[in-house]
Amino acid sequence: MEELAPAAACDRQVVYAPQIQELLARTEKVFRVDETTVGVSDPDLMSAVVAARPVLASERSVFKPAAGADIHHESATGTIRALGQDVAASVRTPPPPPHLLAGAWPDVATSYLRRWLYASDALPVSLLSKRGVTRSDSLSKLVDQAVAVWPGADSGGTALAQQIRGASSTRDRKQAIALYRRASATLCDGVAALAANALWLMNRTPTYTRGSLTPVLWETLRLLPPAWMLFRTGGEAYTALHPAIGPGDDIAMFPLLMHRDPQYWSDPLVFRAERWSGVSDPERTPGFMPFGFDGARCWARHLVVPLAERLLEVCLENGVTIGDAQRETHIPLRSLLSVRFEAEVRG
């Protein structure tokens, strides 16, 4: 590890959910979380767990089964290509009004991104990405039925929407609807969480400007990674990897802990964007896996950092700041690790 410049003083505190705080207090790298789950933060063992067998369909998020059938590889790769096209097209357009970034983060950032990326879709497809719809099972079902019958305009809109219109069968259309909803939500929620964590850690430091945010995001992914846990359903494939793992044990792998291991990191609890200066391929850094391991990495990882960087640029350009009075934030126990705060727009 190269010599680092002194870190900027941080006067903000993060209060984790008790379950996460308990994990952070552990020193062992293999431990029992509960009666049926073994926790792992050792990079070599985590890599071995991922390599022991292919990921199950039920262990996926975006690409878990839909409409009573598995998502085929062709559909999955098509969805990722569509996401990339939509992100590339959207970031070339003017962002939504900056006043929409004021309020409770990361929720307002998620809504902002969904509006930026998917507002061009005609009704009822555009409703698939609305937070008020996605948070209600009954509304989601109604919108899904409406889209299945009438998938909007015949042309234009996002590439994800075009996949729905191009479906050749009822099942394919239902799967395309599910993938639109899952993919748009996963991308926007993840980017919003990453940007929120970065804003908190940047601590109002004025030296961060457009063009210098990429190292900030990689350091944020180290210290407050939104994807803080990977889960594998137990089985015989894992029992030979470590004596603590039994045949009925599920495996919970924790990048959040691995990224704070002093074996790999100098001053592991200190936010230092300088760590990443001159690092050409951060994902090859030992002890650092913000998007998963080889063979099981997030398929959309190439979109997350550029989109989060563009969102942070919008925030800097328009004076989005955290309220001066807020010195503490709470991180709840959720699948995405994200700080919560109220943002102001002073531009």
Side-chain angles (χ1 to χ4, degrees):
M1 185 71 65
E2 73 277 11
E3 185 177 352
L4 301 173
C10 182
D11 59 355
R12 293 193 179 123
Q13 301 298 318
V14 176
V15 179
Y16 298 91
Q19 300 92 330
I20 301 176
Q21 189 60 53
E22 182 180 344
L23 290 172
L24 292 171
R26 292 185 175 273
T27 57
E28 65 269 43
K29 296 184 180 180
V30 182
F31 52 90
R32 186 156 291 279
V33 177
D34 55 38
E35 292 183 357
T36 61
T37 307
V38 172
V40 178
S41 64
D42 177 75
D44 293 333
L45 182 54
M46 292 167 74
S47 182
V49 167
V50 170
R53 64 160 173 78
V55 62
L56 302 177
S58 60
E59 294 169 338
R60 297 187 173 103
S61 54
V62 174
F63 301 123
K64 63 186 177 183
D70 288 342
I71 301 295
H72 295 304
H73 185 269
E74 182 179 354
S75 296
T77 55
T79 298
I80 296 301
R81 286 195 298 269
L83 274 180
Q85 294 171 29
D86 293 340
V87 170
S90 297
V91 297
R92 291 194 297 266
T93 65
H99 74 268
L100 297 175
L101 289 168
W105 276 60
D107 291 350
V108 296
T110 297
S111 298
Y112 189 89
L113 287 166
R114 292 186 181 196
R115 177 169 178 170
W116 198 355
L117 270 60
Y118 299 105
S120 65
D121 286 333
L123 289 172
V125 173
S126 62
L127 295 177
L128 292 170
S129 66
K130 299 295 184 183
R131 286 183 61 84
V133 172
T134 59
R135 288 188 165 186
S136 168
D137 290 341
S138 57
L139 285 177
S140 292
K141 290 179 182 178
L142 286 174
V143 171
D144 287 0
Q145 293 170 0
V147 176
V149 174
W150 180 58
D154 293 333
S155 61
T158 64
L160 276 181
Q162 292 170 18
Q163 287 194 313
I164 298 174
R165 292 192 294 271
S168 58
S169 68
T170 300
R171 193 195 71 178
D172 288 347
R173 177 169 289 181
K174 289 181 177 180
Q175 287 199 331
I177 291 169
L179 288 175
Y180 182 109
R181 186 175 58 250
R182 294 174 188 174
S184 61
T186 300
L187 178 65
C188 294
D189 289 349
V191 170
L194 176 57
N197 294 349
L199 281 176
W200 185 266
L201 291 171
M202 287 164 65
N203 196 41
R204 301 190 304 276
T205 303
T207 56
Y208 294 127
T209 58
R210 183 171 184 172
S212 67
L213 292 171
T214 302
V216 169
L217 288 167
W218 287 115
E219 180 69 344
T220 300
L221 284 165
R222 183 191 70 83
L223 199 56
L224 292 178
W228 63 285
M229 183 190 72
L230 305 174
F231 187 82
R232 290 292 182 271
T233 303
E236 296 291 342
Y238 304 134
T239 55
L241 301 179
H242 194 278
I245 303 175
D249 287 331
D250 297 328
I251 312 295
M253 296 169 284
F254 295 102
L256 177 67
L257 305 185
M258 180 178 66
H259 292 175
R260 295 160 179 252
D261 190 336
Q263 178 180 344
Y264 298 97
W265 307 98
S266 173
D267 294 329
L269 302 184
V270 178
F271 179 78
R272 294 182 182 271
E274 299 87 356
R275 296 179 199 273
W276 305 100
S277 298
V279 179
S280 59
D281 189 356
E283 290 191 81
R284 295 295 180 185
T285 302
F288 183 61
M289 289 293 170
F291 298 113
F293 287 78
D294 286 336
R297 292 181 189 264
C298 171
W299 287 20
R301 67 187 187 276
H302 62 291
L303 304 174
V304 172
V305 172
L307 186 55
E309 184 171 5
R310 184 69 188 100
L311 178 58
L312 286 180
E313 288 173 354
V314 173
C315 290
L316 290 175
E317 291 165 358
N318 293 281
V320 177
T321 60
I322 300 171
D324 291 337
Q326 188 164 354
R327 293 289 184 266
E328 183 177 278
T329 185
H330 291 255
I331 293 183
L333 183 66
R334 294 185 180 175
S335 57
L336 277 180
L337 186 145
S338 178
V339 299
R340 264 67 178 160
F341 58 79
E342 291 288 327
E344 303 170 355
V345 179
R346 298 177 177 173

